[in-house]
Amino acid sequence: MLSAHDDLIEDLKRIETSYAPLLFVVFGPCLTDSWRFSALTTPLLFVLSDDAPEGRPMVVSDDFAGALGVTESLLDAGHQRIALVSDSADGKRVNYEHRIEGFREALRRHGMRFDPSMLSTITVDFGDYLESSQEELKKALRSLLREDGLPTGYEPPTAVFVLSDMDWVLFLISPR
């Protein structure tokens, strides 16, 4: 197992030279320029890697169907105000667009409209993802769930669906 902080290609080249593996399985983000994989002769399989090189064999999750199913379960449990929290590297482009579309489709199937104010974005440092995402998520949850100091008429969500790839998907459900 190699760390995401190492130079993946250089490490794989060393392994290729020393052990002549039959297959490399790259799990999760590659965090490297995809053209660099051409330096390897060992076949590659990418698993749950959004940045895998085009045309390479890969196994990916069905983000749309997964989010659709989770959201339908929350709606079936009676939740009417579901907040979404997604991460972003720059605070502008929201990650997990297919999951958000699955969420929107579940709402549509239940005769509900998507409220953009229920989508929050946390800006994380992908070089230190776990620590930065946990800290930013705590801030976002405190803001979403507190009732004091918010505008009159604000209704906190009854469920929070956190979209994340690297550490957790969380469902925080409050009985409102």
Side-chain angles (χ1 to χ4, degrees):
M1 180 126 191
L2 304 174
S3 167
H5 300 289
D6 296 334
D7 184 337
L8 178 62
I9 303 303
E10 290 305 314
D11 287 341
L12 293 177
K13 284 183 350 189
R14 278 193 291 280
I15 292 168
E16 225 175 24
T17 302
S18 300
Y19 301 102
L22 299 176
L23 175 70
F24 285 128
V25 177
V26 179
F27 185 85
C30 302
L31 304 177
T32 189
D33 293 323
S34 60
W35 62 266
R36 294 188 63 214
F37 286 99
S38 63
L40 302 168
T41 58
T42 302
L44 293 153
L45 172 64
F46 294 87
V47 177
L48 299 177
S49 179
D50 291 338
D51 61 344
E54 193 171 322
R56 298 281 188 155
M58 66 180 74
V59 177
V60 296
S61 65
D62 187 341
D63 289 340
F64 179 87
L68 174 74
V70 167
T71 307
E72 285 186 334
S73 294
L74 291 170
L75 293 168
D76 290 345
H79 293 280
Q80 296 292 305
R81 291 188 47 78
I82 304 168
L84 281 178
V85 178
S86 181
D87 60 29
S88 173
D90 60 9
K92 297 174 187 167
R93 189 181 74 78
V94 176
N95 291 330
Y96 316 114
E97 293 172 16
H98 295 291
R99 294 177 192 174
I100 294 169
E101 287 306 313
F103 176 82
R104 291 174 68 126
E105 177 61 18
L107 293 178
R108 187 191 66 72
R109 290 181 184 183
H110 284 257
M112 300 171 69
R113 294 178 48 140
F114 176 71
D115 179 356
S117 71
M118 296 300 286
L119 173 62
S120 299
T121 303
I122 59 174
T123 304
V124 297
D125 173 2
F126 283 89
D128 187 20
Y129 187 83
L130 186 59
E131 188 171 320
S132 71
S133 65
Q134 286 176 347
E135 188 58 38
E136 291 301 313
L137 183 58
K138 286 178 196 174
K139 289 179 197 174
L141 290 175
R142 279 188 214 114
S143 175
L144 282 169
L145 299 177
R146 74 169 202 238
E147 296 177 24
D148 60 313
L150 293 172
T152 305
Y154 174 78
E155 291 183 56
T158 59
V160 179
F161 185 0
V162 179
L163 310 176
S164 179
D165 247 4
M166 299 176 94
D167 52 357
W168 68 81
V169 174
L170 167 74
F171 307 98
L172 177 82
I173 301 176
S174 61
R176 295 219 192 265

